[in-house]
Amino acid sequence: MVRTGTAKSTSREIEERLRGLGADLSVSAGQDTSAISFAGLSEHAEPLLQLVNELARDASFPPPEFDRERRQKLEEVKLERTQPGFLAGERLRRVLFDKHPYALLSPAEE
């Protein structure tokens, strides 16, 4: 969601800035961690760090982009629940962690 827009830039503008810098950026979030990773040439370090700062501090989560991401995640959850390995991992976490948040491998559709 971080790449979907900030107070200053739309998702398209963010992608154009990354392309212009020849940089790669990825974002991940887990149950107890979040990370923004990036790679680019050192000569573009200053504008790349400014962009990362903007993404980390001023993410705006525009409603249309949020809804699109939400629909996509719902489809992923439905697909995950058809995979035996996922279901086994989910069951194992329930046994190991009971009611602790770590027992949740993926959110329910609700």
Side-chain angles (χ1 to χ4, degrees):
M1 281 299 305
V2 171
R3 291 173 82 141
T4 61
T6 67
K8 302 174 190 173
S9 307
T10 66
S11 60
R12 179 179 216 136
E13 291 167 337
I14 292 166
E15 297 306 321
E16 287 173 0
R17 286 168 66 187
L18 285 168
R19 270 196 310 274
L21 295 169
D24 183 40
L25 182 127
S26 62
V27 180
S28 63
Q31 290 177 321
D32 55 2
T33 62
S34 297
I36 297 177
S37 304
F38 55 93
L41 298 174
S42 59
E43 63 194 60
H44 301 299
E46 186 70 28
L48 182 54
L49 288 170
Q50 288 173 352
L51 176 59
V52 171
N53 179 54
E54 181 181 334
L55 292 171
R57 294 172 157 244
D58 298 324
S60 62
F61 309 110
E65 296 280 348
F66 183 84
D67 290 340
R68 182 182 56 80
E69 291 286 333
R70 183 177 179 279
R71 286 190 306 274
Q72 184 175 347
K73 184 61 179 175
L74 279 172
E75 291 304 314
E76 288 174 18
V77 168
K78 288 178 188 176
L79 181 61
E80 285 174 340
R81 301 224 181 274
T82 67
Q83 305 299 314
F86 173 84
L87 295 173
E90 189 174 57
R91 179 72 53 127
L92 177 62
R93 281 179 175 247
R94 266 191 247 138
V95 169
L96 292 173
F97 298 111
D98 193 29
K99 296 184 187 316
H100 189 276
Y102 284 167
L104 183 64
L105 187 59
S106 181
E109 285 182 51
E110 302 81 45

